[in-house]
């Protein structure tokens, strides 16, 4: 067990970005204090420690704040180096892992929200096609990155596992709310098997919220977003 | 220039006006690396580009010993990690994890805040342009604050954030005119930093003529049917 070095995570349970910080710390076996952010209104601590974006998560280590989930995960990996490497050792493999992390966050995951917000069957069909095209790419990426192992990281949970894994709860919520089967075991067998594996992984299980709690939260959030967009 | 990529060595697919491509050119020069430059016509994308970057279909793409790397900040880190120099002496990113996280934060902010806002300065008018102007100037002021009295964002050494931002320098004239910004007056320390960076051969070689960039913007406007 790593000595407690005054490590804190400021966050909220529904956030996949917050989950990433906690999964990484769990993998490194680093003890930390979880500070639940009030969100509405945003706490003094959040506004002071992340003045630029005012967003969670914020990682505190020896009093220093670190923001942005991908930057936090890399910081954790580069600080606690003797346990469970998260990014691959080889620079090319690292570049590929970083590429997929950005793809998942910037290109693939936003399609889920688009699907939920779509108003017509045509719109939904078009977005669904994009979601499946992305899942196909990730199925292929699993082979290339994983090199035959059980994880994107190969033999151990790695960077892309954390990045994509943290979205799984919300992907399942989208599937339940919309009826769209995204991680279809027939279409994407490796990805579907990997998803089950990730959710059962100790470092992830302890911070992944319970599905019904997420469904409730998701429904409230969706209603709020739809009201806001129709009010425009 | 054949369409066959060499088995060994470096090839950069880019376009002369692309700030992201300029980042990679600066990085390669800073490391003293030899490479082939394959200029791309982004209005008529080559089969090679589409094959090497099928998902985003964008420049820059760096090919090293036949393997391609996409996304400029990812390429920068790849170059830094592959050619660290003796004891990491020539690294863009500092050794300390906290300092690295801060450098990544500011580079990420540049990508999030400067890129689109800058483009919207010449692509939009009215309210959209006013919003872009606000975001663009606020973000640059934040960056100027971060620079402080240091010669470079990297401190005494030209580093990751310097490369991530200075690539926009040739576009500043275009943004200035399109958005009526008066950047020289509003951001004196930042403009001084630009001049300091331009004294480096890697930067002066990579940055195109700002007037050429302005003419190129006018061509793009016509191509996209923007008034």
């Amino acid at each position: 067990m790593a000595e407690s070095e005054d490590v804190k995570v400021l966050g909220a349970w529904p956030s996949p970005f917050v989950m990433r910080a906690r999964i990484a710390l769990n993998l490194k076996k680093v003890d930390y204090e979880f500070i639940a952010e009030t969100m509405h209104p945003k706490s003094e601590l959040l506004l002071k420690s992340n003045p630029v974006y005012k967003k969670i998560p914020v990682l505190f280590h020896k009093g220093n704040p670190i923001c942005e989930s991908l930057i936090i995960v890399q910081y954790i990996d580069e600080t606690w180096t003797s346990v469970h490497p998260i990014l691959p050792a080889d620079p090319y493999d690292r570049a590929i892992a970083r590429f997929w992390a950005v793809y998942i966050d910037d290109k693939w995951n936003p399609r889920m929200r688009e699907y939920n917000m779509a108003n017509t069957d045509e719109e939904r069909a078009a977005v669904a096609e994009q979601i499946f095209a992305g899942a196909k790419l990730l199925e292929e990426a699993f082979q290339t990155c994983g090199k035959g192992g059980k994880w994107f990281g190969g033999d151990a949970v790695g960077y892309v596992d954390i990045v994509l894994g943290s979205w799984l709860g919300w992907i399942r919520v989208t599937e339940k709310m919309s009826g769209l089967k995204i991680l279809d075991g027939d279409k994407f067998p490796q990805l579907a098997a990997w998803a089950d594996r990730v959710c059962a992984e100790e470092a992830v299980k302890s911070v992944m919220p319970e599905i019904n709690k997420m469904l409730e939260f998701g429904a409230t959030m969706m209603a709020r977003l739809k009201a806001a967009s129709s009010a425009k | 220039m054949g369409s066959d990529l060499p088995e060994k060595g470096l090839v950069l697919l880019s376009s002369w006006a692309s700030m992201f491509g300029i980042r990679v050119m600066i990085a390669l020069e800073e490391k003293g690396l030899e490479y082939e430059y394959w200029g791309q016509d982004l209005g008529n994308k080559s089969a090679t580009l589409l094959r090497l970057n099928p998902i985003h279909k964008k420049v820059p793409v760096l090919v090293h010993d036949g393997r391609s790397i996409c996304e400029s900040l990812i390429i920068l880190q790849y170059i830094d990690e592959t050619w660290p120099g003796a004891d990491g002496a020539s690294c863009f990113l500092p050794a300390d994890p906290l300092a690295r996280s801060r450098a990544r934060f500011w580079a990420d902010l540049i990508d999030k805040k400067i890129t689109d806002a800058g483009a919207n300065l010449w692509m939009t008018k009215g309210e959209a342009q006013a919003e872009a102007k606000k975001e663009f100037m606020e973000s640059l002021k934040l960056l100027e604050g971060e620079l402080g009295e240091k010669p470079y964002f990297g401190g005494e050494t030209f580093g990751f954030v310097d490369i991530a931002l200075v690539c926009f320098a040739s576009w500043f004239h275009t943004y200035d005119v399109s958005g009526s910004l008066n950047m020289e007056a509003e951001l004196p320390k930042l403009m001084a930093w630009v001049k300091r960076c331009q004294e480096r051969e890697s930067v002066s070689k990579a940055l195109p003529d700002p007037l050429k960039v302005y003419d190129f913007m006018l061509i793009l406007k016509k191509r996209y049917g923007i008034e």
Side-chain angles (χ1 to χ4, degrees), chain A residues 52-53 64-68 71 74-75 78-79 90-92 94-95 98-100 102-103 107 137, chain B residues 55-56 67-71 74 77-78 81-82 97-98 100-102 104-105 108-109 112-113 142:
Chain A
V52 174
Y53 298 117
N64 297 308
I66 299 108
C67 308
E68 295 296 291
I71 294 175
Q74 289 181 87
Y75 173 84
E78 289 168 1
T79 300
D90 174 70
Y92 181 73
R94 293 157 84 85
R98 286 176 175 138
F99 175 87
W100 287 112
V102 172
Y103 172 80
K107 292 274 179 299
L137 287 174
Chain B
I55 294 172
H56 303 297
R67 298 193 300 188
S68 58
I69 303 110
C70 307
E71 300 291 293
I74 293 176
Q77 289 180 88
Y78 175 78
E81 290 163 10
T82 307
L98 185 64
R100 289 163 82 82
S101 74
R102 288 183 172 154
R104 285 182 176 131
F105 177 87
D108 178 63
L109 182 134
K112 278 193 181 45
K113 301 266 187 188
L142 263 178

Side-chain angles (χ1 to χ4, degrees), chain B residues 6 40 49 52 54 60-61 65 77 85-86 94 101 111 126 128 149 171 187-188 202:
Chain B
Q40 302 296 301
L49 177 61
L52 295 175
V61 179
D65 294 349
Q77 289 180 88
S101 74
D111 273 5
E149 301 305 316
W171 280 85
L187 301 155
S202 64

